[in-house]
Amino acid sequence: MKNLKDYIKEASDKGVAIGHFNISNIEALHGIYNAAKKLNVPVIIGVSEGEEEFIGIEEVAVLIKEIREKDNYPIFLNADHHYSFESVKKALEAGYNAAIIDAVKLPLEENIALTKKCVEYALELGKKEGRGILIEAELGFIGQSSKLLESIPDGVSVATMTKPEDAKYFVEQTGINLLAPSVGNVHGMVKGGNPRLDIERIKQIKEACNVPLVLHGGSGIADVDFTAAIKAGINIIHINTEIRVAYKEALQKFLSENPNEVAPYKFLKGGVDAIEAVVYNRLKLFNNL
Ligand code: 13P
């Protein structure tokens, strides 16, 4: 089967983006996979350090690999926002297909050194195990939490957006496979609406560094902005908060209407369906279907 790098190239050639959705339990995986299968499109499952701790680092790796191989389906696993070399290493050794080393809070040269170390390790491990492993890094701050926000996260501003020349330097110095820039996107959903994306900046970053670009903080972004961002060079889009909200609201509704229900497969079912609906609509848009 083709690897994640091949699918990213294919998406780029077709002018579409691959959807990346976070999970912390198996119900969310069912909802996401059901939606992807209905549309027959590749999909990436993401787990942050916190999500991974809850679902189990080995367990999630085995699950995704098993589904990919048994169903011969392009479903891949990404270590989303891992903050240390050790946590990236652990995820890759468990069999993840990709990892994001998030060192944006470090001074630039320390960020570069840590990112480079992860890239070199991924190359070495990939060679040893005969598989392609991708390393992504973020440049420019976009906030940190997938949650409902009263306002734009502290520390995010036009000044913290990624500059094309910085992106070029960072990609050249680190050798990363994927870059996540700050282009008006924020993690989480802002009450009253998320900011608009800076499409021109995406174009300039793409031109400057010519690597696949990943748009984080997809929840709450307007459909027209997604379409324009993909056209400008975005290849992967991350969604988390929208899934969390849909899952929680479905559970809350079911349990308030059925307070005596104790069978998890009954009271969780609505949550799975709610996630599927969110992911289905996002994948349809991202894949131009
Ligand atoms: P949202 O929670 O804003 O969708 O962001 C998700 C994300 O970027 C995970 O890496």
Side-chain angles (χ1 to χ4, degrees):
M1 187 202 274
K2 291 180 282 187
N3 62 23
L4 179 56
K5 191 176 172 189
D6 300 323
Y7 281 100
I8 295 169
K9 165 89 175 59
E10 206 171 284
S12 167
D13 291 346
K14 284 190 197 161
V16 301
I18 300 179
H20 171 295
F21 304 92
N22 290 69
I23 65 166
S24 48
N25 59 16
I26 194 167
E27 291 82 64
L29 174 60
H30 285 312
I32 296 162
Y33 190 40
N34 290 345
K37 275 191 296 187
K38 278 191 180 157
L39 294 164
N40 194 25
V41 292
V43 70
I44 305 171
I45 301 297
V47 283
S48 65
E49 287 183 352
E51 289 163 338
E52 173 181 274
E53 201 180 311
F54 188 77
I55 194 170
I57 185 163
E58 301 287 342
E59 288 85 344
V60 69
V62 169
L63 255 172
I64 303 294
K65 184 168 185 276
E66 180 65 16
I67 295 173
R68 186 170 61 245
E69 290 176 359
K70 179 175 68 62
D71 294 357
N72 191 28
Y73 195 92
I75 180 167
F76 299 98
L77 181 61
N78 178 40
D80 194 15
H81 295 283
H82 278 45
Y83 297 99
S84 66
F85 172 73
E86 288 68 30
S87 69
V88 166
K89 182 170 180 278
K90 223 167 148 188
L92 298 184
E93 283 174 355
Y96 288 38
N97 307 99
I100 301 172
I101 176 67
D102 182 340
V104 278
K105 288 197 173 152
L106 293 181
L108 184 64
E109 291 308 320
E110 283 177 44
N111 181 349
I112 288 174
L114 175 55
T115 304
K116 209 170 157 185
K117 190 171 169 189
C118 293
V119 170
E120 282 164 4
Y121 181 71
L123 274 172
E124 184 189 310
L125 184 70
K127 218 173 185 179
K128 195 167 106 194
E129 296 186 348
R131 64 192 182 100
I133 299 171
L134 303 180
I135 296 292
E136 174 182 334
E138 190 166 291
L139 195 64
F141 188 58
I142 63 160
Q144 212 167 345
S145 300
S146 285
K147 61 182 183 188
L148 296 170
L149 304 164
E150 290 299 327
S151 57
I152 294 174
D154 281 349
V156 176
S157 68
V158 175
T160 58
M161 283 194 202
T162 312
K163 294 178 189 62
E165 61 275 19
D166 293 350
K168 184 174 188 297
Y169 176 73
F170 187 75
V171 170
E172 280 170 3
Q173 293 299 309
T174 56
I176 47 169
N177 309 103
L178 309 163
L179 176 72
S182 165
V183 289
N185 47 330
V186 294
H187 278 131
M189 277 167 89
V190 185
K191 278 187 194 163
N194 279 50
R196 301 297 304 266
L197 296 180
D198 185 340
I199 302 299
E200 195 47 43
R201 192 181 290 266
I202 298 174
K203 273 189 208 155
Q204 289 168 1
I205 294 171
K206 187 76 172 193
E207 259 172 43
C209 46
N210 199 28
V211 286
L213 298 182
V214 183
L215 184 71
H216 283 241
S219 296
I221 290 179
D223 287 8
V224 284
D225 275 10
F226 276 133
T227 308
I230 295 168
K231 214 167 156 210
I234 292 291
N235 306 105
I236 295 173
I237 301 175
H238 283 218
I239 302 279
N240 194 0
T241 311
E242 288 179 3
I243 296 178
R244 291 179 169 185
V245 171
Y247 184 65
K248 184 191 159 199
E249 285 179 352
L251 255 63
Q252 246 170 353
K253 181 168 182 293
F254 185 92
L255 288 170
S256 70
E257 289 167 1
N258 304 273
N260 295 324
E261 183 56 68
V262 293
Y265 67 89
K266 289 188 182 164
F267 66 70
L268 294 173
K269 173 80 174 70
V272 174
D273 294 344
I275 290 175
E276 181 180 329
V278 168
V279 174
Y280 183 86
N281 286 326
R282 286 313 194 193
L283 284 176
K284 239 179 125 191
L285 181 73
F286 300 163
N287 287 277
N288 199 18
L289 295 169

